Amino acid sequence: MDKIIIDLIFNILQSVAIIIASSVAIYGINSWRREAKWKRQYELAEEILASMYEAHHAIRIIRSPIGFSNEGLSRTKSDNETPQQTEVYNQAYVARERFERNKKPLEKLHSLKYRFIALYGKEYEQHFDKFSQTVHKIFFASDQIARVKLGEYGNDQKLIGDIMKESRADLYGSIKYDDKIEKELSVAIDAIESKCRNIIGKNN
């Protein structure tokens, strides 16, 4: 009888030990998973912040009002261009040429967008898209100025004046006046930055 009781107690203790060991193992696995998830989120937030700041800097370079005589010359010239057209087209190509030299952070930020919105929601997509939209706006402004210089808008001085004013404001950065492009980017940057810093703060 005593042996039966001893065996029973032993079996109970063995079962309890197994349960405790299993619980500890499960807790350890879950902790590791949480830690790994936090680490991935932390690294993604840091990577996005760095890429976003670099992308913003790239746009500022593209919009720099300071030009150089050799810019725009990498454009492939058409056979039937006049010298005037060549000059205008080359000037219009400067923005694209600058983009090609500085596009890596913009492309990286665009690729990181999908991982970010998968985790934190599609409402952040509009803020990432603001960077690519800004680049397209710069290109359009450059093309509009070229069209005006080539006489495609006729002699309507008011129309021409409005187009040139709006296009120059989009194409060139300004520190003296309100910069609409910078204001739009600041809204996007603030939204992404706030979320990323919140993620980083939680993981510290």
Side-chain angles (χ1 to χ4, degrees), residues 128-186:
F128 283 91
D129 287 345
K130 181 57 66 178
F131 287 83
S132 57
Q133 289 167 1
T134 297
V135 170
H136 290 307
K137 190 177 287 188
I138 292 167
F139 291 165
F140 180 74
S142 181
D143 292 342
Q144 283 286 79
I145 292 172
R147 292 186 186 102
V148 168
K149 289 181 177 179
L150 293 172
E152 293 184 16
Y153 287 102
N155 297 316
D156 188 334
Q157 294 304 309
K158 184 179 184 310
L159 175 63
I160 289 171
D162 289 343
I163 290 172
M164 291 297 286
K165 181 180 179 180
E166 183 177 353
S167 298
R168 283 174 175 155
D170 288 343
L171 181 59
Y172 301 118
S174 173
I175 57 174
K176 293 183 179 179
Y177 309 102
D178 287 342
D179 192 324
K180 182 178 67 174
I181 294 291
E182 278 294 320
K183 284 184 176 180
E184 291 175 354
L185 284 174
S186 291

Side-chain angles (χ1 to χ4, degrees), residues 44 48 110-129 192:
L44 175 61
I48 283 174
H110 181 73
S111 67
L112 291 171
K113 172 185 78 171
Y114 299 102
R115 287 169 58 193
F116 193 84
I117 63 176
L119 288 171
Y120 305 112
K122 284 186 70 67
E123 65 268 23
Y124 289 96
E125 185 172 14
Q126 60 179 320
H127 302 304
F128 283 91
D129 287 345
I192 297 170

Side-chain angles (χ1 to χ4, degrees), residues 4-40:
I4 293 173
I5 294 172
I6 291 171
D7 290 343
L8 181 61
I9 293 172
F10 177 78
N11 289 334
I12 291 171
L13 291 174
Q14 192 176 38
S15 298
V16 170
I18 292 171
I19 291 170
I20 293 172
S22 299
S23 299
V24 170
I26 291 169
Y27 178 79
I29 291 170
N30 289 335
S31 294
W32 175 81
R33 283 177 176 169
R34 286 194 297 270
E35 185 178 344
K37 182 181 179 182
W38 291 339
K39 185 178 179 182
R40 288 195 301 271

